[in-house]
Amino acid sequence: MKRSPLRRISKKRAKQSAEYLRLRQNFMLSRPFCEAFCRNGGKPRNLAVHIHHMAGREGRLLCAPEHWLPVCAECHDKIHKTHVAEAYEKGFLYEAKR
């Protein structure tokens, strides 16, 4: 008896990923500049290349733009590695109410 191979990605996750890519594209077009640490005199300086998920990416939070922040690679690294306390203080990181 020949077995069918296991799916690498579940149907549910594939559907969620497709929705995320569509939402991400629209979000990045509407907010193209970094909104985190690299603001210079109130004006954004760098183009955003990442979406920072302020409340995490678990479950429904992956496709929840109200918890997203457009950031450049440098600021995204600061949020998660070097300036974590400041990121919490400024609201770039928080626990979402489920």
Side-chain angles (χ1 to χ4, degrees):
M1 179 167 84
K2 186 175 180 182
R3 294 181 182 216
S4 60
L6 293 175
R7 291 183 182 276
R8 290 175 48 109
I9 300 173
S10 70
K11 288 181 182 180
K12 181 179 176 181
R13 179 56 110 181
K15 183 178 176 183
Q16 188 181 38
S17 292
E19 180 185 2
Y20 173 72
L21 290 175
R22 183 182 53 78
L23 290 170
R24 182 189 190 286
Q25 184 177 19
N26 291 335
F27 184 81
M28 294 301 277
L29 287 172
S30 67
R31 295 169 70 178
F33 295 102
C34 179
E35 296 179 11
F37 295 110
C38 70
R39 295 178 73 82
N40 186 12
K43 292 187 178 184
R45 185 175 69 195
N46 296 340
L47 281 176
V49 293
H50 297 174
I51 291 179
H52 170 60
H53 296 78
M54 297 184 292
R57 299 178 299 189
E58 204 171 294
R60 294 183 192 156
L61 293 174
L62 179 67
C63 295
E66 63 271 14
H67 299 291
W68 292 356
L69 182 70
V71 293
C72 64
E74 181 182 338
C75 288
H76 206 188
D77 194 47
K78 286 180 183 179
I79 290 170
H80 287 289
K81 295 180 182 172
T82 59
H83 293 74
V84 177
E86 187 179 353
Y88 273 106
E89 183 181 303
K90 291 187 176 203
F92 301 152
L93 287 170
Y94 60 85
E95 292 291 323
K97 296 175 183 168
R98 296 172 189 227

